[in-house]
Amino acid sequence: MIDKNTNLLVVSAHAADFVWRGGGTIAKYVKHGANVSLLILSYGARGESNALWNMEGQTLENVKSTRHGEIEAAAECLGVKDIEFWDYQDYHMEINNERVERLVHKIRKVKPHHILTHGPKDAFNPDHETVSKYVFDASVLSTSNGVKLEGTTTVKQAQIFGFEPHQSEISDFKPEVILDITETYERKEAAMNCFKAQPHLIDYYGWKAKMRGNHARRCSGEKEYKYAEAFTRFFPYVGGEFI
Ligand SMILES: [Zn+2]
């Protein structure tokens, strides 16, 4: 059950990843009262802003500023208020010990039950794979008593879920969790429309949400599921009963 006691941390490698791949789910968590923290590691200025670079006289600072505005607008569509921008360079994104500790600190502060981020394999996007490992490492370290960071205490292991990559089959993606987003699909659509730098993706992810909706209906028998998002999970489901 999603409620005010649920903490969800979303870690997005680039500006819009969280919207294409998890926007409906994020909006659903917000709608049901969860505490949603959004962390944007980079603006995707070098690797995921091609349309903006076609403009004459374009600068890195201007691309970042445009993307910053788009992210804020999209987050507002989804209802997310807690956003941090870390402004790492993308393509390639480099992770060192200092950056791992920074994320451990963040995880210990947010105390997420669930972390939504990139899955381990993405055939065409090395940054997504880097971030997947980065989040996994920091999440595991956040539970360890020996990893001492001032002002923090250890947290329980968060359940980590991976976004569906852009090229699903080529990245060996297989849905392990499918979430119905019918009630928040309009919010996702509004958020997708905030990203003028990647107009070609809006139709693509609309189609994908419908396709996953079809899978959601087939796997569950619930006819009212129209739109869905698919994820992988990093750890097995653990509980007292089958769900
Ligand atoms: Zn990305």
Side-chain angles (χ1 to χ4, degrees):
M1 188 176 74
I2 310 168
D3 63 19
K4 63 182 175 52
N5 299 313
T6 308
N7 299 336
L8 173 69
L9 173 63
V10 182
V11 183
S12 185
H14 308 110
D17 294 327
F18 71 101
V19 172
W20 310 128
R21 308 190 172 97
T25 298
I26 294 166
K28 190 172 180 179
Y29 270 70
V30 171
K31 186 179 172 189
H32 290 270
N35 308 299
V36 177
S37 301
L38 176 60
L39 174 56
I40 308 291
L41 294 177
S42 83
Y43 290 108
R46 287 158 55 98
E48 295 187 6
S49 301
N50 281 344
L52 292 177
W53 286 109
N54 288 336
M55 294 160 66
E56 203 165 324
Q58 187 59 276
T59 64
L60 182 63
E61 281 317 303
N62 190 55
V63 169
K64 285 185 181 181
S65 156
T66 301
R67 305 242 65 186
H68 189 98
E70 290 177 346
I71 295 164
E72 286 191 321
E76 195 175 329
C77 291
L78 302 179
V80 177
K81 295 192 169 55
D82 176 9
I83 319 178
E84 274 187 30
F85 299 86
W86 286 4
D87 195 13
Y88 291 173
Q89 182 182 290
D90 68 314
Y91 273 50
H92 284 87
M93 190 179 291
E94 291 181 352
I95 302 301
N96 54 24
N97 281 344
E98 187 187 332
R99 288 186 169 184
V100 172
E101 289 198 351
R102 187 179 185 189
L103 186 53
V104 171
H105 198 280
K106 173 80 177 171
I107 291 170
R108 286 181 175 175
K109 191 176 125 208
V110 171
K111 298 180 175 48
H113 302 96
H114 310 298
I115 299 177
L116 184 53
T117 190
H118 300 267
K121 191 161 179 198
D122 194 320
F124 293 98
N125 201 307
D127 282 359
H128 292 174
E129 295 190 351
T130 298
V131 169
S132 183
K133 176 81 165 58
Y134 177 38
V135 173
F136 169 77
D137 287 1
S139 173
V140 171
L141 265 59
S142 71
T143 69
S144 181
N145 285 334
V147 179
K148 297 196 180 299
L149 294 178
E150 203 174 323
T152 72
T153 53
T154 56
V155 291
K156 285 184 186 172
Q157 179 61 59
Q159 291 302 307
I160 309 175
F161 297 90
F163 294 136
E164 177 166 358
H166 189 63
Q167 304 290 356
S168 310
E169 295 84 355
I170 299 170
S171 301
D172 291 335
F173 175 84
K174 186 175 178 185
E176 292 175 326
V177 176
I178 299 176
L179 296 189
D180 167 46
I181 58 162
T182 307
E183 67 183 286
T184 50
Y185 181 71
E186 278 182 18
R187 289 184 185 217
K188 174 171 181 163
E189 198 170 41
M192 290 198 292
N193 278 299
C194 295
F195 292 102
K196 309 292 183 230
Q198 296 166 288
H200 57 292
L201 294 182
I202 296 171
D203 280 351
Y204 181 84
Y205 279 96
W207 167 80
K208 214 162 201 180
K210 283 184 193 161
M211 184 184 73
R212 294 305 179 201
N214 173 281
H215 295 165
R217 288 192 298 279
R218 182 64 189 87
C219 292
S220 69
E222 300 292 343
K223 301 259 184 295
E224 71 273 20
Y225 293 168
K226 286 187 182 157
Y227 300 97
E229 288 169 341
F231 307 95
T232 53
R233 53 183 312 145
F234 285 46
F235 307 119
Y237 163 73
V238 178
E241 58 185 300
F242 295 126
I243 58 166

